[in-house]
Amino acid sequence: MEIFVTGATGAIGRPLTEALAAAGHEVVAGTRHPEAYRGPGRAVQFDLDAHGRADPGEAARTADAAFYLVHALDQRSFAQVDRDRAERFADLWGADRPVVYLGGLGEPGLGSPHLRSRHEVGLILRRRCETIELRAAMVLGAESISFQLLARLGRLASFSPLPVLAPQASRARTQPIGQADLVAALVHALELEPGSYDVGGPEVIRYADLMERAARAQGRTLKVLPVVPLDPEWIGPATSVAAGVDPWATSALFAGMGEETVVRPDHRVPGPELATTSIDDALAAALAGP
Ligand SMILES: NC(=O)c1ccc[n+]([C@@H]2O[C@H](COP(=O)([O-])OP(=O)(O)OC[C@H]3O[C@@H](n4cnc5c(N)ncnc54)[C@H](OP(=O)(O)O)[C@@H]3O)[C@@H](O)[C@H]2O)c1
């Protein structure tokens, strides 16, 4: 199949384009900087913010399927931007060819603006396109911003000789997934009926424990006590400086920390379980680099 991959240069898009090419698909990579594209297939100019000029041309019009991997987490007004981008993509793509969208786990009606926005984009795409939505929590992959934040904070905090006091929100449970498993699930999603499916790794874990595991994967020891009655959003800016990660993205990710992001049993992808890599193995692979 010829497959149009938006966000092809991103943390997920990069390994996905490799996997699609390895599976025999022809990749058309949508990027704002096609001249810098080094992945498989060919790149076309694609900018969903370039009002009236977002059309990536013939290549995307004739593709058999698409992946939608774009987000605006690095902007303060990300929800509005992502809403507009999803509508613009639906205008371009139309209703009769499949699009696989990678969204976020969590129950509907969440308090986190970031997760609400991920769900809203899924709703827009499902309403207007033949959409297969895969919902995931943190992807443990070298270039994933949420993983980088986790790994750097785990390492930094481990320099403390005492247990580290963290917001109570870090007691919330999540179900991270290894990058290789997630990419395999995305390729497999091309065979699914339109709908919304949850994907996650084999372990459910509290954020506080995940941070300890991230430190251990880097050869460090860390004890995190999730006892501070403070909204994690307040420590986002300071944390982003300490970890060297984009401040808007850090704030948005921290604001979602109190939400449970766990696979709903009745929304699992049908068929055999593909995501079997343990958290420790996925952390080790991510720390080894892209
Ligand atoms: N990483 C995770 O842990 C995780 C977990 C669950 C869900 N997701 C979802 O997976 C998707 C991909 O995440 P990611 O981590 O790969 O993101 P990422 O690394 O930040 O990549 C974002 C991509 O968006 C493209 N992009 C940005 N602005 C654009 C615009 N105006 N027009 C067209 N393309 C634009 C960029 O391409 P160019 O710069 O080349 O134009 C880039 O390739 C997102 O929807 C995210 O919410 C990610």
Side-chain angles (χ1 to χ4, degrees), residues 1-8 13 16-31 37 40-44 56 58-69 89 93 97-101 132 183 186-191:
M1 285 205 282
E2 186 172 276
I3 301 186
F4 180 47
V5 183
T6 74
L16 175 66
T17 53
E18 299 287 346
L20 289 170
H25 297 297
E26 207 173 304
V27 172
V28 180
T31 165
Y37 180 71
R42 63 206 159 93
V44 292
E58 191 61 22
R61 275 199 290 279
T62 57
D64 302 299
F67 281 87
Y68 190 78
L69 300 174
F89 175 80
W93 187 249
R97 290 173 297 166
V99 52
V100 178
Y101 163 62
I132 300 139
V183 166
L186 285 170
V187 176
H188 173 65
L190 289 167
E191 295 164 25

Side-chain angles (χ1 to χ4, degrees), residues 77-85 117 120:
S77 54
F78 63 85
Q80 185 61 51
V81 174
D82 274 334
R83 198 174 298 136
D84 293 345
R85 286 179 180 175
S117 166
E120 187 181 16

